Amino acid sequence: MSESATGDQGGTTGGAGRAAPGPGDGTRAVRAGLPEAVKYEPTLPGPVFAAHFHLPGDPTGPYTYGRDENPTWTLLERAIGELEAPGRDDAETLVFASGMAATSAVLFSQLRAGDVCVLPSDGYQALPLVRAQLETYGIEVRTAPTGGDAQLDALDGAKLLWIETPSNPGLDVCDIRRLSEAAHARGALVAVDNTLATPLGQRPLELGADFAVASGTKQLTGHGDILLGYVVGRDPGAMAAVRRWRKIVGAIPGPMEAWLAHRSIATLQMRVDRQCATALTVAEALRARPEVSDLRYPGLPEDPSHKIAAQQMRRFGCVVSFTLPSRARADRFLEALRLVDDATSFGGVRSTAERRGRWGGDAVPEGFVRLSVGAEDPDDLVADLLRALDASTG
Ligand SMILES: *Cc1c(COP(=O)(O)O)cnc(C)c1O
């Protein structure tokens, strides 16, 4: 099965390709979603800019109005579907204007007044805002932490379980298969936020989830220049409701963004393998530093997340988190970095880091730093990080 771990190398091998029959991840990424070759046509057709399409007669067919469908989305949706749910004919993919558009589409299309929803208490920072909105509609929201599968204890009577693993920014991991089985036994649907892992790191549908949801803004597209989201689901009725929600809200990606995303997916395997391998190297270098505490990276064998991560992930992500002794120390460290931009978000080819406490939403210490490892040469990056740590004393 594809969820079998490839070992502790942080995904630097092509092991993921061995785990499932058929082509390896690099091959699948470069070809994902491409149409049949047509003489004199480009390999990846350019973005189709259209608010409406020629439509004589009855309004049927795939392309009618630009808020409902667009050929550039269709190709991107195929590409994402091939990576999230390879070989599954029952899976459907929908792209959105952002990760939050995709998240809201699932939650607000599946839940109604009186329903119970279980969210992580340590997930993406917009979830508390979503929670408040759900509650105004009469939906009961329960929360529990990601680590230790604590959401299990909140499932009785639930309609939907929302999982974020690895969690952002704490990098805790929960057992998707175990939680999905428990949720399904109680009649609840399961959605997994797969943003941090990317479909090359983890495939939630194969682990039993009903929806894989993600922000394509992060590593999926990887250049820090577009916002995108997607939902992949295997229940036709549930996906029809998600599609209806996209149409009602109009949370659609522009054709240019969709095309850039598809173009970026061609390099996904190269970026993810490079960034995951460097993240492990960086984590090992930081581990040796006395001023660094609570270092977290699911790919480190001694990390509390590693055991379950190794069971269900094929690559461990590009985010490393750690705590410096004080807010001032963290600020001086970030200021001293030359190859790492002080910026939010993660997953891009250029490394970024931030003192997460500056936003106020996450329950993290003042000196907590979330580092997103980019595609720089590992030696250069490690040298920059260690130099900035030295420079931040005092
Ligand atoms: C960034 C992020 C989102 C939201 O995505 P946007 O594209 O910014 O709307 C959701 N979940 C996680 C885990 C994220 O990191």
Side-chain angles (χ1 to χ4, degrees), residues 14-57:
R18 284 197 307 277
D25 284 345
T27 309
R28 294 191 308 116
V30 297
R31 300 212 65 85
L34 297 183
E36 287 287 316
V38 176
K39 195 172 186 181
Y40 308 130
E41 292 294 325
T43 310
L44 176 63
V48 176
F49 298 103
H52 57 86
F53 300 84
H54 286 298
L55 190 66

mmCIF file of all heavy atoms in Angstrom, residues 14-57:
data_model
loop_
_atom_site.group_PDB
_atom_site.id
_atom_site.type_symbol
_atom_site.label_atom_id
_atom_site.label_comp_id
_atom_site.label_asym_id
_atom_site.label_seq_id
_atom_site.Cartn_x
_atom_site.Cartn_y
_atom_site.Cartn_z
ATOM 1 N N GLY A 14 13.574 7.929 -4.295
ATOM 2 C CA GLY A 14 12.365 7.786 -5.088
ATOM 3 C C GLY A 14 11.464 6.716 -4.507
ATOM 4 O O GLY A 14 10.674 6.118 -5.208
ATOM 5 N N GLY A 15 11.588 6.459 -3.228
ATOM 6 C CA GLY A 15 10.882 5.361 -2.586
ATOM 7 C C GLY A 15 9.386 5.431 -2.763
ATOM 8 O O GLY A 15 8.714 4.411 -2.862
ATOM 9 N N ALA A 16 8.871 6.655 -2.810
ATOM 10 C CA ALA A 16 7.436 6.799 -2.952
ATOM 11 C C ALA A 16 6.963 6.155 -4.253
ATOM 12 O O ALA A 16 5.870 5.621 -4.322
ATOM 13 C CB ALA A 16 7.059 8.268 -2.923
ATOM 14 N N GLY A 17 7.809 6.228 -5.270
ATOM 15 C CA GLY A 17 7.435 5.620 -6.535
ATOM 16 C C GLY A 17 7.353 4.107 -6.418
ATOM 17 O O GLY A 17 6.562 3.483 -7.097
ATOM 18 N N ARG A 18 8.157 3.535 -5.532
ATOM 19 C CA ARG A 18 8.115 2.089 -5.350
ATOM 20 C C ARG A 18 6.882 1.667 -4.564
ATOM 21 O O ARG A 18 6.431 0.549 -4.680
ATOM 22 C CB ARG A 18 9.348 1.618 -4.565
ATOM 23 C CG ARG A 18 10.621 1.567 -5.372
ATOM 24 C CD ARG A 18 11.652 0.712 -4.657
ATOM 25 N NE ARG A 18 11.879 1.132 -3.279
ATOM 26 C CZ ARG A 18 12.692 2.112 -2.930
ATOM 27 N NH1 ARG A 18 13.332 2.789 -3.856
ATOM 28 N NH2 ARG A 18 12.864 2.418 -1.665
ATOM 29 N N ALA A 19 6.372 2.584 -3.754
ATOM 30 C CA ALA A 19 5.318 2.196 -2.824
ATOM 31 C C ALA A 19 4.007 1.885 -3.549
ATOM 32 O O ALA A 19 3.235 1.069 -3.095
ATOM 33 C CB ALA A 19 5.096 3.297 -1.800
ATOM 34 N N ALA A 20 3.742 2.544 -4.654
ATOM 35 C CA ALA A 20 2.507 2.283 -5.381
ATOM 36 C C ALA A 20 2.873 1.773 -6.762
ATOM 37 O O ALA A 20 3.880 2.173 -7.325
ATOM 38 C CB ALA A 20 1.696 3.581 -5.489
ATOM 39 N N PRO A 21 2.054 0.880 -7.324
ATOM 40 C CA PRO A 21 2.367 0.411 -8.676
ATOM 41 C C PRO A 21 2.236 1.569 -9.654
ATOM 42 O O PRO A 21 1.540 2.541 -9.388
ATOM 43 C CB PRO A 21 1.294 -0.655 -8.927
ATOM 44 C CG PRO A 21 0.226 -0.440 -7.913
ATOM 45 C CD PRO A 21 0.834 0.308 -6.773
ATOM 46 N N GLY A 22 2.911 1.459 -10.787
ATOM 47 C CA GLY A 22 2.823 2.527 -11.776
ATOM 48 C C GLY A 22 4.000 3.453 -11.676
ATOM 49 O O GLY A 22 4.953 3.185 -10.955
ATOM 50 N N PRO A 23 3.946 4.555 -12.443
ATOM 51 C CA PRO A 23 5.091 5.460 -12.508
ATOM 52 C C PRO A 23 5.412 6.103 -11.161
ATOM 53 O O PRO A 23 4.558 6.188 -10.278
ATOM 54 C CB PRO A 23 4.652 6.526 -13.509
ATOM 55 C CG PRO A 23 3.265 6.226 -13.910
ATOM 56 C CD PRO A 23 2.804 4.994 -13.218
ATOM 57 N N GLY A 24 6.659 6.561 -11.018
ATOM 58 C CA GLY A 24 7.080 7.244 -9.800
ATOM 59 C C GLY A 24 6.495 8.642 -9.709
ATOM 60 O O GLY A 24 5.894 9.157 -10.655
ATOM 61 N N ASP A 25 6.702 9.263 -8.551
ATOM 62 C CA ASP A 25 6.083 10.563 -8.294
ATOM 63 C C ASP A 25 6.574 11.660 -9.238
ATOM 64 O O ASP A 25 5.811 12.554 -9.606
ATOM 65 C CB ASP A 25 6.346 10.990 -6.847
ATOM 66 C CG ASP A 25 5.459 10.235 -5.869
ATOM 67 O OD1 ASP A 25 4.473 9.604 -6.317
ATOM 68 O OD2 ASP A 25 5.754 10.280 -4.670
ATOM 69 N N GLY A 26 7.863 11.609 -9.601
ATOM 70 C CA GLY A 26 8.382 12.640 -10.503
ATOM 71 C C GLY A 26 7.726 12.543 -11.873
ATOM 72 O O GLY A 26 7.315 13.549 -12.474
ATOM 73 N N THR A 27 7.610 11.321 -12.353
ATOM 74 C CA THR A 27 6.980 11.093 -13.652
ATOM 75 C C THR A 27 5.522 11.537 -13.615
ATOM 76 O O THR A 27 5.019 12.200 -14.532
ATOM 77 C CB THR A 27 7.059 9.593 -14.006
ATOM 78 O OG1 THR A 27 8.420 9.179 -13.858
ATOM 79 C CG2 THR A 27 6.599 9.324 -15.418
ATOM 80 N N ARG A 28 4.841 11.176 -12.538
ATOM 81 C CA ARG A 28 3.428 11.544 -12.442
ATOM 82 C C ARG A 28 3.263 13.052 -12.341
ATOM 83 O O ARG A 28 2.345 13.632 -12.917
ATOM 84 C CB ARG A 28 2.782 10.839 -11.244
ATOM 85 C CG ARG A 28 2.735 9.325 -11.452
ATOM 86 C CD ARG A 28 1.880 8.605 -10.421
ATOM 87 N NE ARG A 28 2.238 8.938 -9.068
ATOM 88 C CZ ARG A 28 1.444 9.555 -8.208
ATOM 89 N NH1 ARG A 28 0.233 9.909 -8.576
ATOM 90 N NH2 ARG A 28 1.854 9.807 -7.001
ATOM 91 N N ALA A 29 4.187 13.707 -11.607
ATOM 92 C CA ALA A 29 4.065 15.164 -11.443
ATOM 93 C C ALA A 29 4.262 15.889 -12.773
ATOM 94 O O ALA A 29 3.504 16.815 -13.096
ATOM 95 C CB ALA A 29 5.066 15.670 -10.402
ATOM 96 N N VAL A 30 5.260 15.518 -13.541
ATOM 97 C CA VAL A 30 5.500 16.262 -14.790
ATOM 98 C C VAL A 30 4.387 16.035 -15.810
ATOM 99 O O VAL A 30 4.144 16.889 -16.666
ATOM 100 C CB VAL A 30 6.882 15.974 -15.440
ATOM 101 C CG1 VAL A 30 8.008 16.401 -14.525
ATOM 102 C CG2 VAL A 30 7.028 14.536 -15.869
ATOM 103 N N ARG A 31 3.694 14.916 -15.718
ATOM 104 C CA ARG A 31 2.639 14.620 -16.695
ATOM 105 C C ARG A 31 1.233 14.869 -16.163
ATOM 106 O O ARG A 31 0.252 14.738 -16.910
ATOM 107 C CB ARG A 31 2.740 13.150 -17.156
ATOM 108 C CG ARG A 31 4.061 12.790 -17.819
ATOM 109 C CD ARG A 31 3.896 11.730 -18.890
ATOM 110 N NE ARG A 31 3.103 12.214 -20.010
ATOM 111 C CZ ARG A 31 3.602 12.902 -21.039
ATOM 112 N NH1 ARG A 31 4.883 13.170 -21.117
ATOM 113 N NH2 ARG A 31 2.798 13.313 -22.002
ATOM 114 N N ALA A 32 1.132 15.245 -14.880
ATOM 115 C CA ALA A 32 -0.188 15.316 -14.243
ATOM 116 C C ALA A 32 -1.142 16.227 -15.003
ATOM 117 O O ALA A 32 -0.817 17.378 -15.303
ATOM 118 C CB ALA A 32 -0.043 15.788 -12.800
ATOM 119 N N GLY A 33 -2.297 15.697 -15.334
ATOM 120 C CA GLY A 33 -3.374 16.502 -15.899
ATOM 121 C C GLY A 33 -3.206 16.916 -17.347
ATOM 122 O O GLY A 33 -4.008 17.687 -17.866
ATOM 123 N N LEU A 34 -2.145 16.448 -18.025
ATOM 124 C CA LEU A 34 -1.938 16.886 -19.415
ATOM 125 C C LEU A 34 -3.001 16.272 -20.320
ATOM 126 O O LEU A 34 -3.363 15.109 -20.171
ATOM 127 C CB LEU A 34 -0.546 16.478 -19.908
ATOM 128 C CG LEU A 34 0.637 17.104 -19.177
ATOM 129 C CD1 LEU A 34 1.941 16.654 -19.833
ATOM 130 C CD2 LEU A 34 0.529 18.631 -19.173
ATOM 131 N N PRO A 35 -3.498 17.059 -21.286
ATOM 132 C CA PRO A 35 -4.463 16.488 -22.232
ATOM 133 C C PRO A 35 -3.746 15.595 -23.239
ATOM 134 O O PRO A 35 -2.517 15.596 -23.325
ATOM 135 C CB PRO A 35 -5.042 17.734 -22.910
ATOM 136 C CG PRO A 35 -3.955 18.749 -22.825
ATOM 137 C CD PRO A 35 -3.182 18.460 -21.562
ATOM 138 N N GLU A 36 -4.517 14.845 -23.993
ATOM 139 C CA GLU A 36 -3.978 14.070 -25.107
ATOM 140 C C GLU A 36 -3.175 14.997 -26.023
ATOM 141 O O GLU A 36 -3.605 16.127 -26.281
ATOM 142 C CB GLU A 36 -5.135 13.483 -25.938
ATOM 143 C CG GLU A 36 -5.875 12.339 -25.276
ATOM 144 C CD GLU A 36 -5.058 11.066 -25.267
ATOM 145 O OE1 GLU A 36 -4.451 10.749 -26.316
ATOM 146 O OE2 GLU A 36 -5.012 10.410 -24.209
ATOM 147 N N ALA A 37 -2.033 14.511 -26.500
ATOM 148 C CA ALA A 37 -1.234 15.339 -27.406
ATOM 149 C C ALA A 37 -1.986 15.578 -28.715
ATOM 150 O O ALA A 37 -2.553 14.648 -29.283
ATOM 151 C CB ALA A 37 0.097 14.635 -27.686
ATOM 152 N N VAL A 38 -1.991 16.827 -29.138
ATOM 153 C CA VAL A 38 -2.635 17.187 -30.410
ATOM 154 C C VAL A 38 -1.604 17.931 -31.249
ATOM 155 O O VAL A 38 -0.946 18.862 -30.754
ATOM 156 C CB VAL A 38 -3.873 18.098 -30.177
ATOM 157 C CG1 VAL A 38 -4.467 18.553 -31.514
ATOM 158 C CG2 VAL A 38 -4.924 17.369 -29.344
ATOM 159 N N LYS A 39 -1.451 17.495 -32.490
ATOM 160 C CA LYS A 39 -0.469 18.102 -33.377
ATOM 161 C C LYS A 39 -0.649 19.621 -33.445
ATOM 162 O O LYS A 39 -1.781 20.111 -33.588
ATOM 163 C CB LYS A 39 -0.621 17.495 -34.774
ATOM 164 C CG LYS A 39 0.566 17.764 -35.685
ATOM 165 C CD LYS A 39 0.433 16.979 -36.978
ATOM 166 C CE LYS A 39 1.685 17.131 -37.826
ATOM 167 N NZ LYS A 39 1.563 16.404 -39.104
ATOM 168 N N TYR A 40 0.445 20.330 -33.277
ATOM 169 C CA TYR A 40 0.513 21.804 -33.322
ATOM 170 C C TYR A 40 -0.091 22.498 -32.100
ATOM 171 O O TYR A 40 -0.192 23.719 -32.072
ATOM 172 C CB TYR A 40 -0.142 22.363 -34.601
ATOM 173 C CG TYR A 40 0.371 21.726 -35.867
ATOM 174 C CD1 TYR A 40 -0.508 21.227 -36.829
ATOM 175 C CD2 TYR A 40 1.747 21.605 -36.098
ATOM 176 C CE1 TYR A 40 -0.033 20.622 -37.981
ATOM 177 C CE2 TYR A 40 2.220 21.001 -37.245
ATOM 178 C CZ TYR A 40 1.334 20.512 -38.194
ATOM 179 O OH TYR A 40 1.799 19.924 -39.326
ATOM 180 N N GLU A 41 -0.514 21.715 -31.131
ATOM 181 C CA GLU A 41 -1.036 22.327 -29.894
ATOM 182 C C GLU A 41 0.045 22.232 -28.817
ATOM 183 O O GLU A 41 0.855 21.305 -28.828
ATOM 184 C CB GLU A 41 -2.288 21.587 -29.404
ATOM 185 C CG GLU A 41 -3.500 21.746 -30.299
ATOM 186 C CD GLU A 41 -4.018 23.172 -30.324
ATOM 187 O OE1 GLU A 41 -3.938 23.843 -29.261
ATOM 188 O OE2 GLU A 41 -4.472 23.615 -31.398
ATOM 189 N N PRO A 42 0.067 23.179 -27.850
ATOM 190 C CA PRO A 42 1.066 23.082 -26.780
ATOM 191 C C PRO A 42 0.780 21.898 -25.856
ATOM 192 O O PRO A 42 -0.347 21.414 -25.777
ATOM 193 C CB PRO A 42 0.905 24.402 -26.019
ATOM 194 C CG PRO A 42 -0.451 24.902 -26.364
ATOM 195 C CD PRO A 42 -0.794 24.357 -27.717
ATOM 196 N N THR A 43 1.834 21.475 -25.148
ATOM 197 C CA THR A 43 1.693 20.345 -24.222
ATOM 198 C C THR A 43 0.697 20.690 -23.121
ATOM 199 O O THR A 43 -0.195 19.911 -22.808
ATOM 200 C CB THR A 43 3.067 20.047 -23.571
ATOM 201 O OG1 THR A 43 4.028 19.964 -24.612
ATOM 202 C CG2 THR A 43 3.027 18.763 -22.792
ATOM 203 N N LEU A 44 0.902 21.860 -22.520
ATOM 204 C CA LEU A 44 -0.039 22.356 -21.517
ATOM 205 C C LEU A 44 -0.710 23.591 -22.108
ATOM 206 O O LEU A 44 -0.082 24.644 -22.217
ATOM 207 C CB LEU A 44 0.697 22.730 -20.221
ATOM 208 C CG LEU A 44 -0.187 23.343 -19.124
ATOM 209 C CD1 LEU A 44 -1.242 22.363 -18.655
ATOM 210 C CD2 LEU A 44 0.660 23.818 -17.946
ATOM 211 N N PRO A 45 -1.953 23.470 -22.536
ATOM 212 C CA PRO A 45 -2.621 24.621 -23.161
ATOM 213 C C PRO A 45 -2.618 25.829 -22.228
ATOM 214 O O PRO A 45 -2.680 25.677 -21.007
ATOM 215 C CB PRO A 45 -4.043 24.112 -23.408
ATOM 216 C CG PRO A 45 -3.922 22.616 -23.445
ATOM 217 C CD PRO A 45 -2.814 22.285 -22.493
ATOM 218 N N GLY A 46 -2.531 27.013 -22.808
ATOM 219 C CA GLY A 46 -2.477 28.243 -22.016
ATOM 220 C C GLY A 46 -3.800 28.537 -21.323
ATOM 221 O O GLY A 46 -4.815 27.867 -21.559
ATOM 222 N N PRO A 47 -3.780 29.545 -20.430
ATOM 223 C CA PRO A 47 -4.997 29.872 -19.685
ATOM 224 C C PRO A 47 -6.121 30.330 -20.606
ATOM 225 O O PRO A 47 -5.890 31.076 -21.554
ATOM 226 C CB PRO A 47 -4.555 31.007 -18.754
ATOM 227 C CG PRO A 47 -3.275 31.532 -19.326
ATOM 228 C CD PRO A 47 -2.647 30.414 -20.095
ATOM 229 N N VAL A 48 -7.316 29.872 -20.324
ATOM 230 C CA VAL A 48 -8.494 30.272 -21.106
ATOM 231 C C VAL A 48 -9.209 31.385 -20.346
ATOM 232 O O VAL A 48 -9.746 31.164 -19.262
ATOM 233 C CB VAL A 48 -9.440 29.071 -21.311
ATOM 234 C CG1 VAL A 48 -10.709 29.512 -22.040
ATOM 235 C CG2 VAL A 48 -8.730 27.963 -22.088
ATOM 236 N N PHE A 49 -9.156 32.586 -20.909
ATOM 237 C CA PHE A 49 -9.809 33.733 -20.277
ATOM 238 C C PHE A 49 -11.197 33.877 -20.880
ATOM 239 O O PHE A 49 -11.345 34.323 -22.019
ATOM 240 C CB PHE A 49 -8.991 34.997 -20.522
ATOM 241 C CG PHE A 49 -7.618 34.936 -19.917
ATOM 242 C CD1 PHE A 49 -6.501 34.696 -20.694
ATOM 243 C CD2 PHE A 49 -7.447 35.097 -18.543
ATOM 244 C CE1 PHE A 49 -5.233 34.639 -20.123
ATOM 245 C CE2 PHE A 49 -6.191 35.038 -17.971
ATOM 246 C CZ PHE A 49 -5.074 34.808 -18.756
ATOM 247 N N ALA A 50 -12.187 33.491 -20.140
ATOM 248 C CA ALA A 50 -13.550 33.560 -20.677
ATOM 249 C C ALA A 50 -14.549 33.718 -19.545
ATOM 250 O O ALA A 50 -14.548 32.925 -18.605
ATOM 251 C CB ALA A 50 -13.874 32.296 -21.482
ATOM 252 N N ALA A 51 -15.384 34.746 -19.636
ATOM 253 C CA ALA A 51 -16.485 34.878 -18.683
ATOM 254 C C ALA A 51 -17.665 34.021 -19.139
ATOM 255 O O ALA A 51 -18.434 33.533 -18.324
ATOM 256 C CB ALA A 51 -16.914 36.338 -18.566
ATOM 257 N N HIS A 52 -17.804 33.850 -20.452
ATOM 258 C CA HIS A 52 -18.865 32.982 -20.972
ATOM 259 C C HIS A 52 -18.351 32.284 -22.214
ATOM 260 O O HIS A 52 -17.343 32.691 -22.801
ATOM 261 C CB HIS A 52 -20.136 33.781 -21.273
ATOM 262 C CG HIS A 52 -19.921 34.899 -22.247
ATOM 263 N ND1 HIS A 52 -19.965 34.733 -23.607
ATOM 264 C CD2 HIS A 52 -19.608 36.201 -22.051
ATOM 265 C CE1 HIS A 52 -19.710 35.878 -24.207
ATOM 266 N NE2 HIS A 52 -19.485 36.781 -23.286
ATOM 267 N N PHE A 53 -19.045 31.232 -22.611
ATOM 268 C CA PHE A 53 -18.640 30.421 -23.756
ATOM 269 C C PHE A 53 -19.785 30.403 -24.769
ATOM 270 O O PHE A 53 -20.949 30.556 -24.394
ATOM 271 C CB PHE A 53 -18.314 28.990 -23.288
ATOM 272 C CG PHE A 53 -17.187 28.952 -22.276
ATOM 273 C CD1 PHE A 53 -17.449 29.167 -20.924
ATOM 274 C CD2 PHE A 53 -15.867 28.742 -22.673
ATOM 275 C CE1 PHE A 53 -16.412 29.156 -19.985
ATOM 276 C CE2 PHE A 53 -14.835 28.736 -21.744
ATOM 277 C CZ PHE A 53 -15.102 28.948 -20.403
ATOM 278 N N HIS A 54 -19.455 30.232 -26.038
ATOM 279 C CA HIS A 54 -20.523 30.127 -27.042
ATOM 280 C C HIS A 54 -21.467 29.019 -26.644
ATOM 281 O O HIS A 54 -21.039 27.914 -26.327
ATOM 282 C CB HIS A 54 -19.920 29.835 -28.426
ATOM 283 C CG HIS A 54 -19.250 31.040 -29.010
ATOM 284 N ND1 HIS A 54 -19.937 32.196 -29.301
ATOM 285 C CD2 HIS A 54 -17.971 31.273 -29.345
ATOM 286 C CE1 HIS A 54 -19.094 33.094 -29.796
ATOM 287 N NE2 HIS A 54 -17.890 32.562 -29.821
ATOM 288 N N LEU A 55 -22.755 29.322 -26.662
ATOM 289 C CA LEU A 55 -23.707 28.354 -26.115
ATOM 290 C C LEU A 55 -25.061 28.464 -26.806
ATOM 291 O O LEU A 55 -26.050 28.900 -26.220
ATOM 292 C CB LEU A 55 -23.852 28.598 -24.606
ATOM 293 C CG LEU A 55 -24.613 27.559 -23.796
ATOM 294 C CD1 LEU A 55 -23.857 26.243 -23.773
ATOM 295 C CD2 LEU A 55 -24.821 28.062 -22.380
ATOM 296 N N PRO A 56 -25.100 28.071 -28.085
ATOM 297 C CA PRO A 56 -26.414 28.086 -28.745
ATOM 298 C C PRO A 56 -27.297 26.946 -28.223
ATOM 299 O O PRO A 56 -26.793 25.902 -27.834
ATOM 300 C CB PRO A 56 -26.065 27.877 -30.232
ATOM 301 C CG PRO A 56 -24.702 27.296 -30.255
ATOM 302 C CD PRO A 56 -24.024 27.589 -28.952
ATOM 303 N N GLY A 57 -28.581 27.179 -28.192
ATOM 304 C CA GLY A 57 -29.512 26.112 -27.811
ATOM 305 C C GLY A 57 -29.585 25.895 -26.318
ATOM 306 O O GLY A 57 -29.333 26.802 -25.521
#
